[in-house]
């Protein structure tokens, strides 16, 4: 049996958005590594404030929060060209069809249910980050090719 290792070993800046202070603390303990930074916000309003100050590589967002819930936050993110392609993993206690469909229609990249398995979540985040970065590189290549052809 091998020893413990960090799954999130690529440089990344994550924002964990949840109104539960214990989960926010768990997120910082379980998701942060030497390469991955984890900031937290208590709701969508705080998340937008954090996004105005820093760039993030991925957001984890609860659906049911005060002031601005996850659905509203997703709508704001997808309407802004600066965050339109930002990967957003919904993490919620809801697993009803309506919440799942509504989250993906609003722009969620992935959906995980609580209680969170932190180890499994880190693998899902690593995959989501790598896929988002590959997609961004492809968008950049297409943009460059279009500009060169013009």
């Amino acid at each position: 049996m091998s020893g413990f290792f960090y799954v999130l070993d690529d440089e990344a800046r994550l924002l964990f958005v949840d109104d539960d202070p214990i989960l926010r603390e768990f997120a910082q303990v379980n998701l942060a590594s030497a390469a991955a930074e984890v900031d937290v916000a208590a709701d969508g309003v705080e998340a937008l404030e954090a996004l105005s100050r820093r760039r993030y590589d991925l957001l984890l967002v609860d659906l049911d929060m005060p002031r601005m819930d996850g659905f509203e936050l997703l709508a704001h993110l997808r309407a802004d060209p600066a965050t339109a392609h930002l990967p957003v993993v919904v993490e919620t206690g809801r697993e009803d069809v309506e919440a799942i469909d509504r989250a993906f229609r609003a722009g969620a990249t992935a959906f995980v249910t609580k209680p969170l398995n932190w180890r499994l979540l880190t693998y899902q985040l690593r995959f989501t980050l790598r896929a988002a970065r590959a997609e961004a590189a492809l968008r950049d290549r297409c943009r460059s090719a279009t500009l060169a052809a013009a």
Side-chain angles (χ1 to χ4, degrees):
M1 194 92 181
S2 63
F4 178 84
F5 64 94
Y6 288 107
V7 175
L8 291 176
D9 53 1
D10 292 337
E11 293 279 326
R13 192 174 290 153
L14 313 177
L15 180 62
F16 187 88
V17 187
D18 197 299
D19 59 326
D20 184 332
I22 294 170
L23 273 182
R24 291 194 305 269
E25 191 166 321
F26 280 169
Q28 289 183 303
V29 169
N30 288 287
L31 300 178
S33 69
E37 284 181 58
V38 178
D39 290 339
V40 295
D43 58 34
V45 173
E46 282 187 20
L48 290 176
E49 290 168 359
L51 283 160
S52 72
R53 294 187 304 269
R54 284 185 97 166
R55 184 190 61 76
Y56 289 95
D57 299 302
L58 184 143
L59 269 62
L60 292 107
V61 176
D62 188 17
L63 292 179
D64 298 316
M65 298 179 290
R67 295 198 303 167
M68 180 187 292
D69 67 20
F71 297 112
E72 293 172 277
L73 177 57
L74 277 164
H76 278 277
L77 295 172
R78 297 310 179 224
D80 182 347
T83 56
H85 297 287
L86 180 65
V88 178
V89 175
V90 168
E91 49 87 15
T92 182
R94 295 183 61 180
E95 51 187 318
D96 55 286
V97 171
E98 179 189 347
I100 294 167
D101 290 346
R102 187 174 168 204
F104 280 109
R105 278 195 310 269
T109 309
F111 193 104
V112 297
T113 56
K114 297 175 185 174
L116 297 172
N117 177 321
W118 294 100
R119 190 62 167 189
L120 180 58
L121 179 59
T122 58
Y123 279 102
Q124 292 170 318
L125 296 179
R126 183 170 73 176
F127 172 80
T128 301
L129 281 165
R130 289 179 179 173
R133 288 172 175 162
E135 181 183 326
L138 182 59
R139 269 195 313 277
D140 289 344
R141 282 196 301 277
C142 289
R143 192 175 308 119
S144 295
T146 302
L147 291 173

